[in-house]
């Protein structure tokens, strides 16, 4: 094994849960990230016996659960009223992570405002509460990059001031939406990175992250693209704007030794693309 571990978001295979996990093993990865918000992996569906059994299943395959995806959708934690439901729900996912033996729960929190306005305060309060809870459980609540430049996220994390809140660094999101440099982002966010996605993409034209993520949240992204034209495109690893050799060297330089978890959200043959991504990373680590 190289300096990093290779993971796959098992849901990317578009199979059942266990079939997806088995496919992770088949493509030669070391572990996986699993969506744990709804369906059979939702906290309420995972009884104590099922949690123990699933953990044993993964262990028998020699796979590590790199992280759970706890993304609750919508506008993240921007709405105080919604947070009365979303924060307790996120705590349930943290508890599930503990029982499954992983220390990371990833999510999008919404677009962090540049100004410390009411939305900023709402997001900060939610992250502080979740950070306190996660830290007590030995888990990090990891914010996925993309909605804002790395420097804005870093300053927000400093303001949150919790060791229970960190970063899931997705280099493609930074390229596609913010036009931000993932290599520089590694250094900017070095104190907070606990998990990374291995994904690639290109920005077709500059776009407004608030409009993009707002459209995703409200189900209006196709309408936005119809009005503006194509904004960005996810592509197979190595075919986009992420400078992988420099990016991996930057991660090595800050001492990161965790997962590079492959995410493939589009494409007609995700298994083919994921196999190619595993080979691409293995050749570089």
């Amino acid at each position: 094994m190289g300096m990093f571990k290779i993971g796959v978001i098992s849901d990317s295979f578009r199979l059942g849960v266990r079939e997806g996990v088995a496919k992770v093993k088949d493509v030669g990865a070391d572990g996986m990230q699993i969506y744990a918000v709804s369906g059979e992996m939702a906290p309420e569906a995972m009884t104590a016996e099922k949690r123990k059994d699933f953990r044993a299943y993964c262990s028998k395959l020699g796979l590590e659960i790199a992280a759970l995806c706890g993304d609750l959708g919508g506008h993240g934690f921007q709405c105080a009223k919604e947070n009365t439901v979303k924060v307790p729900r996120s705590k349930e996912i943290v508890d599930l992570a503990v029982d499954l033996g992983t220390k990371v729960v990833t999510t999008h929190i919404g677009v962090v405002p540049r100004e410390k306005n009411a939305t900023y305060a709402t997001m900060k309060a939610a992250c502080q509460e979740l950070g306190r809870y996660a830290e007590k459980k030995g888990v990090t609540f990891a914010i996925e990059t993309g909605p804002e430049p790395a420097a804005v996220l870093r300053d927000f994390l400093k303001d949150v001031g919790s060791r229970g809140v960190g970063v899931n660094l997705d280099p493609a999101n930074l390229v596609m939406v913010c036009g931000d440099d993932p290599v520089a982002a590694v250094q900017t966010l070095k104190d907070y990175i606990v998990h990374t996605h291995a994904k690639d993409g290109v920005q077709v034209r500059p776009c407004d992250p608030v409009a993009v993520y707002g459209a995703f949240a409200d189900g209006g992204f196709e309408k936005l693209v119809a009005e503006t034209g194509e904004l960005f495109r996810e592509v197979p690893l190595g075919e986009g704007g992420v400078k992988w050799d420099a990016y991996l060297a930057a991660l090595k330089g800050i001492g990161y030794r965790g997962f590079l978890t492959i995410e493939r959200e589009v494409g007609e043959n995700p298994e083919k693309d994921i196999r190619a991504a595993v080979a691409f990373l293995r050749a570089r680590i």
Side-chain angles (χ1 to χ4, degrees), residues 10-11 13 15-25 32:
S10 55
D11 300 85
F13 291 113
L15 302 170
V17 173
R18 296 209 177 201
E19 293 88 344
V21 171
K23 189 64 71 174
V24 169
K25 178 69 174 180
M32 61 275 161

Side-chain angles (χ1 to χ4, degrees), residues 71-79 82-83 86 107-111 123 126 217:
D71 194 336
L72 300 177
H75 293 272
F77 296 96
Q78 294 182 321
C79 176
E82 291 181 2
N83 290 351
K86 286 185 171 181
T107 192
H108 283 282
I109 64 169
V111 183
M123 297 171 73

